[in-house]
Amino acid sequence: MHPAPSIIAFSTFSGLGLGLLFWLGIDQTPPTGWVAFAFFAIGYALAVGGLVSSTFHLGRPERALKAFTQWQTSWLSREAWAAVAALVTMGLYAFMLVFLNIHLAILGQIGAFFCLVTVYTTSMIYAQLKTVPRWNTGLTSALFIALSVAGGALLSGRVTIGLILILVAGGIQALWWKTGDTRFAKSGTDLKTATGLGSIGTVRAFEPPHTGTNYLVNEMVYTVGRRHALKLRMIAFLLMLVVPVLLLLLPYPHIFGVLALLSHIAGVLVSRWLFFAEAEHVVGLYYGMR
Amino acid sequence: MTQLPEKTDRKMGLVIDLDTCVGCHACVVSCKGWNTENYGAPLSDQNPYGADPSGTFLNRIHSYEVQPETGPAQLVHFPKSCLHCEDAPCVTVCPTGASYKRTEDGIVLVNEKDCIGCGLCAWACPYGARELDKAEGVMKKCTLCVDRIYNENLPEEDRVPACVRTCPSNARHFGDLGDPDSDVSQLVAERGGMDLMPELGTKPVNKYLPPRPKDRLNEEIDILAPLLAPVVQEPKGFLGWLDKALEKL
């Protein structure tokens, strides 16, 4: 699948921001006043910034509000609702903490719940697609949620729990990569079932419909990035897991904590790029590619 | 509405005969011609006369080589457009309700006024039937020529999809696949019409007729063949001398 920068930025940064808001929501002794303001501002900048950047890849962004209508069937529509619910609830919670010095724990918990629901709905946009076997698994949701709460923990300065969570997220990531490599073959979809000609003999794509490229090939048969996929996985894993863990084990968590966070975010961005670049859509079969 | 209808009154669709399709691409041209100036936004081209032309098409023809275990390979031309699936995954993923499946005839359509061009429906379609128009920013797909098939301003023989009307080898048939007595349903039953990627559970309405078995030369080999005189005869006369002389060199 084509790794559109706007979607990579959206899913990474909104996940991170919602992760931060989640931890602020369930905090028993949350910050108040200007400290709280700073934390919530970062959370909102990331979450809202990510959501806004997701509209950049739309063909008709001026109609984006219509995406709220089909929540009964569409995960994309559910995501829109969940995001609004999370941001409104957390906004109210933040307002009371920052300006009124009131900690309404239940409101924070509800907001935190909606934050996780939002990340889950984002993940389901991809995980629901049978046409992309690499994504079509519950592990995709686990990965998105784990990365969100791990990044949020780092961002909110929770060293110990952050350390544990990036290890967990790293484990899910490794498992997702490993099982993902065979999922296309296991899906049972190949050129034989795509053309129905398998009963006659071995099918080979002989001639594409046209000499040039097209929307389908550009969007869904992105083969350029797969060449260095293995190296990029190593880089992603080092940046999102190994380097932050080492940095967090050092003293002075304030300085090294920031570096650990930046390294983790860079790693997640690489991993998210691979998430799209490595994903093979079944339509590629018709073009003799994957 | 992106909720799929429980059932549709009719299942209008195409039956595509892979045996008779000659791969001329006339249906591609007639489809583009009709649909660029009728229902919805035109089908734009980008850089059509330049070095890297591309454009929006609702119907494309692939060609596949099929190599049986014995005998020569077969070339199969393979037209592909929207299959108007009963369980259309492209419809349910749509966040705005722009995509819908009609209850009366099962045609899957896009209401372009509601489309935000997010592209998720194209991702959900396994067949590559949907293409986002670069100029218009909305999703385009086969409408089964909904503006022809019920159009009483057209002569009756033209009230079929443009691709069906134009096909010079009669490889495309149009009709109600929900009615077991219709011509198309009987054709499917007779010729063993098949679904594409049935394992994905999309339940396509369009069916494909597999190529008929090829005629074979009489391949029965006499068991005495090894004992028969070789067909290739030794050259005689001048050619025989030349053959031997060259052999000795």
Side-chain angles (χ1 to χ4, degrees), chain A residues 210-264:
Chain A
H210 39 79
T211 51
T213 180
N214 70 19
Y215 167 76
L216 299 168
V217 176
N218 290 339
E219 184 75 7
M220 279 162 292
V221 196
Y222 187 84
T223 52
V224 184
R226 296 183 202 151
R227 213 175 314 144
H228 301 299
L230 220 59
K231 278 181 205 162
L232 285 167
R233 281 186 189 181
M234 305 271 272
I235 292 169
F237 208 66
L238 273 175
L239 288 175
M240 69 192 266
L241 179 90
V242 181
V243 173
V245 166
L246 292 177
L247 287 170
L248 288 176
L249 291 174
L250 294 171
Y252 309 113
H254 275 294
I255 304 162
F256 292 120
V258 172
L259 290 175
L261 175 69
L262 292 176
S263 169
H264 177 75

Side-chain angles (χ1 to χ4, degrees), chain A residues 4-168:
Chain A
S6 62
I7 304 194
I8 293 171
F10 145 66
S11 65
T12 307
F13 291 119
S14 72
L16 199 64
L18 290 165
L20 172 60
L21 294 177
F22 163 79
W23 287 108
L24 293 170
I26 60 163
D27 199 339
Q28 293 299 315
T29 53
T32 53
W34 290 110
V35 182
F37 182 81
F39 270 116
F40 280 107
I42 294 169
Y44 270 82
L46 289 169
V48 177
L51 289 169
V52 169
S53 93
S54 76
T55 63
F56 293 160
H57 85 285
L58 298 181
R60 290 288 190 152
E62 75 276 12
R63 301 174 184 158
L65 283 181
K66 292 191 175 183
F68 284 97
T69 58
Q70 303 302 312
W71 53 272
Q72 283 169 298
T73 66
S74 168
W75 281 106
L76 187 49
S77 189
R78 288 171 196 163
E79 182 199 37
W81 277 107
V84 167
L87 294 177
V88 167
T89 320
M90 288 307 287
L92 207 61
Y93 175 70
F95 181 83
M96 290 164 75
L97 273 180
V98 174
F99 298 106
L100 310 176
N101 212 2
I102 300 171
H103 176 217
L104 193 59
I106 182 74
L107 192 63
Q109 283 157 10
I110 294 170
F113 171 74
F114 281 133
C115 287
L116 290 190
V117 171
T118 309
V119 178
Y120 176 72
T121 54
T122 305
S123 73
M124 281 309 289
I125 292 171
Y126 308 107
Q128 68 176 332
L129 296 173
K130 284 186 192 166
T131 48
V132 185
R134 192 183 285 273
W135 291 349
N136 189 219
T137 160
L139 273 180
T140 300
S141 302
L143 180 64
F144 273 58
I145 291 173
L147 286 173
S148 169
V149 292
L154 288 186
L155 202 51
S156 66
R158 288 169 167 76
V159 175
T160 321
I161 187 81
L163 208 92
I164 295 166
L165 282 172
I166 52 175
L167 285 170
V168 171

Side-chain angles (χ1 to χ4, degrees), chain A residues 1-2 7 57-61 63-64 66-70 72-77 125-126 128-132 135 187-191 193-197 200-210 212-216 218-220 276 281-283 285-287, chain B residues 1-3 18 25 52-55 60-69 74-76 78 80 91-97 112-120 122-132 134 136-139 194-201 211:
Chain A
M1 306 296 285
H2 174 71
I7 304 194
H57 85 285
L58 298 181
R60 290 288 190 152
R63 301 174 184 158
K66 292 191 175 183
F68 284 97
T69 58
Q70 303 302 312
Q72 283 169 298
T73 66
S74 168
W75 281 106
L76 187 49
S77 189
I125 292 171
Y126 308 107
Q128 68 176 332
L129 296 173
K130 284 186 192 166
T131 48
V132 185
W135 291 349
S187 76
T189 299
D190 53 23
L191 193 50
T193 70
T195 59
L197 298 170
I200 302 174
T202 315
V203 189
R204 187 173 74 91
F206 182 76
E207 201 175 33
H210 39 79
T213 180
N214 70 19
Y215 167 76
L216 299 168
N218 290 339
E219 184 75 7
M220 279 162 292
F276 291 97
H281 193 287
V282 292
V283 79
L285 293 169
Y286 286 110
Y287 289 86
Chain B
M1 274 307 284
T2 55
Q3 274 160 309
L18 298 178
H25 292 234
D52 186 22
S54 68
R60 292 181 187 266
I61 316 301
H62 298 252
S63 296
Y64 297 102
E65 179 201 74
V66 190
Q67 177 64 62
E69 274 196 26
Q74 273 173 250
L75 186 61
V76 180
F78 198 95
K80 191 157 57 57
V91 170
T92 50
V93 298
C94 175
T96 67
E112 292 172 7
K113 288 194 188 74
D114 282 346
C115 177
I116 56 173
C118 69
L120 191 55
W123 287 11
C125 171
Y127 309 109
R130 288 172 169 250
E131 300 190 16
L132 191 75
K134 279 245 176 73
E136 206 68 23
V138 296
M139 199 52 75
M194 57 193 183
D195 290 347
L196 305 185
M197 294 186 187
E199 70 280 5
L200 290 177

Side-chain angles (χ1 to χ4, degrees), chain B residues 19-35:
Chain B
D19 193 65
T20 49
C21 175
V22 294
C24 69
H25 292 234
C27 55
V28 178
V29 178
S30 67
C31 168
K32 179 113 173 177
W34 178 266
N35 285 294

Side-chain angles (χ1 to χ4, degrees), chain B:
Chain B
M1 274 307 284
T2 55
Q3 274 160 309
L4 292 166
E6 287 274 313
K7 65 184 272 294
T8 58
D9 300 337
R10 289 177 299 154
K11 297 178 188 172
M12 302 312 285
L14 301 176
V15 173
I16 294 171
D17 191 341
L18 298 178
D19 193 65
T20 49
C21 175
V22 294
C24 69
H25 292 234
C27 55
V28 178
V29 178
S30 67
C31 168
K32 179 113 173 177
W34 178 266
N35 285 294
T36 206
E37 54 194 29
N38 289 285
Y39 181 98
L43 303 169
S44 71
D45 287 318
Q46 278 67 45
N47 203 11
Y49 304 105
D52 186 22
S54 68
T56 312
F57 287 80
L58 312 182
N59 178 32
R60 292 181 187 266
I61 316 301
H62 298 252
S63 296
Y64 297 102
E65 179 201 74
V66 190
Q67 177 64 62
E69 274 196 26
T70 57
Q74 273 173 250
L75 186 61
V76 180
H77 301 293
F78 198 95
K80 191 157 57 57
S81 54
C82 173
L83 307 176
H84 297 280
C85 302
E86 282 181 59
D87 203 346
C90 57
V91 170
T92 50
V93 298
C94 175
T96 67
S99 280
Y100 60 106
K101 185 170 174 70
R102 306 205 322 171
T103 319
E104 60 269 38
D105 51 18
I107 299 178
V108 177
L109 284 178
V110 176
N111 174 0
E112 292 172 7
K113 288 194 188 74
D114 282 346
C115 177
I116 56 173
C118 69
L120 191 55
C121 56
W123 287 11
C125 171
Y127 309 109
R130 288 172 169 250
E131 300 190 16
L132 191 75
D133 189 84
K134 279 245 176 73
E136 206 68 23
V138 296
M139 199 52 75
K140 300 296 296 184
K141 71 175 292 301
C142 161
T143 66
L144 214 59
C145 283
V146 70
D147 47 0
R148 287 175 70 99
I149 58 178
Y150 303 118
N151 191 339
E152 291 181 3
N153 296 320
L154 296 176
E156 204 174 337
E157 66 268 29
D158 283 339
R159 290 179 212 157
V160 291
C163 57
V164 175
R165 185 74 182 95
T166 210
C167 179
S169 64
N170 263 351
R172 307 180 71 107
H173 307 271
F174 168 69
D176 181 5
L177 287 143
D179 171 9
D181 298 326
S182 68
D183 288 350
V184 281
S185 294
Q186 288 185 357
L187 193 58
V188 169
E190 211 172 284
R191 295 275 309 278
M194 57 193 183
D195 290 347
L196 305 185
M197 294 186 187
E199 70 280 5
L200 290 177
T202 52
K203 292 192 262 171
V205 168
N206 285 15
K207 303 289 178 208
Y208 282 75
L209 306 180
R212 294 184 177 93
K214 290 281 179 196
D215 288 343
R216 291 278 170 91
L217 289 171
N218 188 3
E219 281 173 340
E220 274 179 38
I221 295 172
D222 196 316
I223 51 162
L224 297 174
L227 305 173
L228 296 175
V231 179
V232 181
Q233 287 175 351
E234 291 295 315
K236 286 172 188 152
F238 172 70
L239 282 177
W241 170 81
L242 191 65
D243 185 43
K244 277 178 194 144
L246 288 169
E247 198 75 33
K248 276 180 191 158
L249 277 179

